[in-house]
Amino acid sequence: MWINGANLCIGCMNPLDDRGECSFCHFQQDKYQPIPRCLLPGTVLAERYVLGRVLGEGNFGITYMGWDPVLDCRVAIKEYYPSDFVSRDVIRGTDKNVYVYGKQGKEEYQENLNKFLNEARCLTRFNHLDGIVSVRDFFYENETAYIVMEYIHGVSVKEYIRQHGPMEGNRVLQLMKPVLETLDKIHKTGVIHRDISPDNILFSDKDELVLIDFGSARVRNMEMTKSMTVVFKRGFSPEEQYRAKGRQGAWSDVYAICATMYFMLTANIPEDAIERMIGAPMKSLVEMPEVGLRTRQKQALMKGISIRAQDRYDTLGNLMAELYEEKPEPSRQYGGERSAAGRKWLRIVVAGGIVLFFLVGCFFWSRPFHGETYLSVPSVSPRAVQTASPVTASPSPVRYEMISCVGLTKKKAQSVLAELNSSGLAVKWEKDYSDHVRKGHIIRQSIKAGTFWSGNEKKTLVLTLSRGPKPVIVPDVKGIHLEKAKSRLGKKDLKCKIVWENSSIGEGVVIRQSRKAGDKVKKGQA
């Protein structure tokens, strides 16, 4: 596909070689056959954006690979296309407009179309925040609307877990925190996502998680009386999203986020909410010692996946307070603020407690003092447990529990391990390369989280820090033919950019390379 004089791959928008093949994603241009309702590669939108292949389809739209010739960069373009309401002329394939079924459907379609763009405008306010895809442009065309977004090159959480298995607890918390914080801020503007799942969270090139696809998002109806389009994804959607008039809010996204984190920790899709309502069991994280989280954190995630909305956290802020042991924010409660009656009862209970405390105090103060000695009860570290024994017996040895340090920095790990200083634990540090854990963060630990040992034992904990991705040594490709040079670079996970120059050496032979043979570079460099 030619754009501004360059022949680009419709799969990844990188330059094609002389044979019309892509050495980057190896997408086969000539065999691409999109579904007829999708726009064809080369279609130009807003007199600017050029479409490539289809990246995916959802309940409300089609997402395309795109190229922005003005900024000379890749973009993702989402077309509003609710397949239950609209169609396209698929016989001739030349008409880009969408057509709505029936008059009644047209009114609902137009209302949802306006919401689609209003929510895109709302999301542009959060482009500076981490954890979500940024919106660059939005416009009407072809009787529908389009959102132009930053293109995230990476693998979905779903695919990552399928390839690598469950993730360490602290690693999940570390990766998800920016997503949770940003989504909490979006919730406070009244927008809910409604389609959070491992499919819609991607690992970026920076080894960070990015939440995508706000096509199902809706501004929360404060009255909660109007019907909303039913959107659900089995295993990750709460029961209220199965009902047209289900009361949806931040608590709905809380369910989906916690279900997604459950999947990341276990590699198992949670039981569907509707099936759980009729008695289908789901194993609790608390029953899984292999999940390297504290009991409080496991309980927090399970509360977030409660079937009834009233039993979940009403905001992501309150969920984060439990997961990251922060101060909780004031509760908004399911479906709205605390009622006046609730506040009245709270005042009555507090007043009654004060009176009762005063009466009990007077009772004990009036009793004669017989010389008893009252000792304060010392606080016990949650990771150091000592069994009570008779005064005459020697104290039982303290038992310690190992915590998960995976994903933490060295400084943070030293801080959380400080409470185990007297446990006979020695810490040894090592380093190793990792493609998935950021440099300076812990890749693995020698003692599994949840392991107990006695204070009388001597333990050595080996923590391995990431050096980042292992560098690649640049091969010498001077003097060999282009195709052989590309093959040699490809085996080293290196890309290439080809520049042609006149030379007395035979055509197609490499005469110069930008990086010297033997140089150490990152994987994927050109």
Side-chain angles (χ1 to χ4, degrees):
M1 181 172 65
W2 290 88
I3 304 176
N4 289 353
N7 192 12
L8 302 183
C9 169
I10 63 174
C12 66
M13 293 298 175
N14 280 302
L16 297 175
D17 60 23
D18 296 336
R19 296 178 299 176
E21 297 178 355
C22 181
S23 60
F24 295 89
C25 72
H26 306 289
F27 189 80
Q28 296 181 335
Q29 321 290 307
D30 55 341
K31 294 185 179 180
Y32 176 62
Q33 294 182 338
I35 298 174
R37 62 173 172 265
C38 300
L39 296 173
L40 297 175
T43 300
V44 179
L45 299 176
E47 299 181 352
R48 172 174 174 176
Y49 305 105
V50 184
L51 298 186
R53 70 179 178 93
V54 172
L55 294 175
E57 290 189 76
N59 295 314
F60 293 97
I62 305 169
T63 304
Y64 302 87
M65 168 66 74
W67 183 259
D68 181 356
V70 175
L71 297 179
D72 199 34
C73 67
R74 291 179 291 180
V75 291
I77 302 174
K78 181 152 191 174
E79 177 185 45
Y80 182 64
Y81 192 96
S83 54
D84 291 341
F85 288 92
V86 300
S87 64
R88 189 176 262 131
D89 181 0
V90 299
I91 298 176
R92 289 170 294 180
T94 56
D95 191 352
K96 296 184 288 186
N97 288 351
V98 301
Y99 297 92
V100 186
Y101 303 129
K103 183 177 179 181
Q104 185 176 356
K106 191 169 185 178
E107 293 175 358
E108 187 171 350
Y109 170 79
Q110 190 61 46
E111 180 182 353
N112 289 331
L113 179 65
N114 293 333
K115 289 179 180 179
F116 181 76
L117 281 183
N118 286 337
E119 285 136 26
R121 293 187 181 98
C122 176
L123 290 172
T124 58
R125 291 182 288 165
F126 303 102
N127 282 350
H128 63 288
L129 298 177
D130 296 329
I132 64 165
V133 65
S134 61
V135 176
R136 296 185 173 182
D137 198 0
F138 39 86
F139 53 88
Y140 288 102
E141 194 169 331
N142 303 330
E143 302 300 325
T144 185
Y146 297 85
I147 298 177
V148 181
M149 299 168 289
E150 164 194 18
Y151 176 73
I152 306 295
H153 177 66
V155 64
S156 71
V157 165
K158 181 178 180 180
E159 187 60 31
Y160 180 89
I161 296 297
R162 281 182 175 175
Q163 293 176 8
H164 302 280
M167 299 176 65
E168 278 280 351
N170 274 338
R171 176 74 172 141
V172 172
L173 293 184
Q174 176 198 10
L175 288 169
M176 288 296 292
K177 192 172 185 181
V179 177
L180 293 168
E181 289 174 338
T182 295
L183 192 56
D184 185 42
K185 292 175 183 176
I186 293 175
H187 282 169
K188 289 174 181 175
T189 69
V191 176
I192 55 176
H193 189 284
R194 300 205 306 156
D195 196 18
I196 299 169
S197 71
D199 296 296
N200 287 336
I201 302 178
L202 302 182
F203 273 95
S204 71
D205 289 336
K206 299 178 182 178
D207 198 32
E208 297 171 345
L209 293 185
V210 181
L211 177 62
I212 63 170
D213 200 354
F214 277 80
S216 303
R218 287 290 179 268
V219 176
R220 184 164 62 92
N221 178 11
M222 299 307 291
E223 296 177 356
M224 293 294 182
T225 55
K226 292 180 65 177
S227 295
M228 297 183 76
T229 308
V230 173
V231 181
F232 63 88
K233 192 165 289 183
R234 294 198 175 276
F236 300 99
S237 298
E239 64 83 18
E240 62 264 24
Q241 283 185 212
Y242 287 77
R243 298 180 283 121
K245 292 190 177 182
R247 303 180 73 185
Q248 298 180 35
W251 50 88
S252 305
D253 281 352
V254 166
Y255 184 101
I257 278 282
C258 290
T260 298
M261 294 175 75
Y262 183 100
F263 174 76
M264 295 169 73
L265 291 164
T266 65
N268 295 319
I269 297 175
E271 288 294 332
D272 187 68
I274 297 299
E275 294 177 0
R276 291 170 63 202
M277 289 181 72
I278 58 176
M282 185 175 80
K283 190 173 181 180
S284 171
L285 292 173
V286 180
E287 301 170 11
M288 303 181 195
E290 67 276 14
V291 174
L293 290 176
R294 301 183 185 186
T295 301
R296 174 182 175 182
Q297 294 166 325
K298 294 177 182 180
Q299 290 171 338
L301 289 173
M302 295 312 299
K303 179 176 179 179
I305 324 176
S306 296
I307 299 174
R308 299 196 321 155
Q310 297 96 320
D311 297 332
R312 298 179 217 137
Y313 297 102
D314 52 2
T315 68
L316 280 170
N318 286 333
L319 170 64
M320 287 189 289
E322 289 298 311
L323 290 179
Y324 303 98
E325 300 183 2
E326 301 166 348
K327 183 179 179 181
E329 60 183 36
S331 175
R332 299 179 199 170
Q333 293 222 353
Y334 163 64
E337 305 294 330
R338 291 185 183 274
S339 64
R343 290 193 295 270
K344 180 179 178 181
W345 276 107
L346 181 61
R347 289 195 294 269
I348 292 173
V349 170
V350 171
I354 293 172
V355 171
L356 180 61
F357 177 79
F358 177 76
L359 293 175
V360 172
C362 290
F363 171 75
F364 282 105
W365 188 264
S366 62
R367 295 180 65 193
F369 178 69
H370 295 292
E372 295 94 335
T373 301
Y374 295 92
L375 299 177
S376 61
V377 179
S379 60
V380 180
S381 166
R383 304 207 174 275
V385 182
Q386 184 171 348
T387 307
S389 56
V391 176
T392 55
S394 59
S396 300
V398 179
R399 297 181 72 228
Y400 292 90
E401 179 187 1
M402 177 52 62
I403 60 176
S404 176
C405 297
V406 175
L408 301 180
T409 62
K410 183 175 182 178
K411 184 176 180 181
K412 181 63 176 176
Q414 288 172 331
S415 174
V416 298
L417 289 171
E419 63 184 271
L420 299 178
N421 280 346
S422 61
S423 66
L425 180 70
V427 180
K428 181 181 177 183
W429 296 92
E430 294 182 353
K431 290 187 177 182
D432 196 4
Y433 294 107
S434 173
D435 291 334
H436 303 290
V437 180
R438 193 181 306 174
K439 184 178 179 181
H441 292 253
I442 296 172
I443 305 171
R444 55 183 174 269
Q445 60 189 72
S446 60
I447 303 177
K448 192 174 181 180
T451 302
F452 286 91
W453 76 94
S454 168
N456 296 336
E457 299 178 63
K458 297 293 182 182
K459 287 278 186 180
T460 299
L461 172 66
V462 180
L463 297 175
T464 306
L465 288 168
S466 172
R467 296 178 182 268
K470 188 174 182 178
V472 179
I473 298 176
V474 177
D476 187 359
V477 295
K478 288 190 295 183
I480 64 176
H481 194 272
L482 175 62
E483 294 306 314
K484 188 175 180 180
K486 288 196 294 185
S487 174
R488 187 174 295 181
L489 291 170
K491 290 178 181 178
K492 294 282 188 176
D493 289 325
L494 295 174
K495 300 177 182 179
C496 63
K497 183 178 179 182
I498 304 164
V499 178
W500 294 89
E501 291 184 8
N502 292 326
S503 171
S504 58
I505 301 176
E507 183 178 352
V509 176
V510 178
I511 59 175
R512 186 168 56 253
Q513 60 189 76
S514 61
R515 298 301 296 262
K516 295 179 181 178
D519 283 358
K520 292 183 178 180
V521 298
K522 293 181 180 178
K523 287 182 181 179
Q525 279 201 345

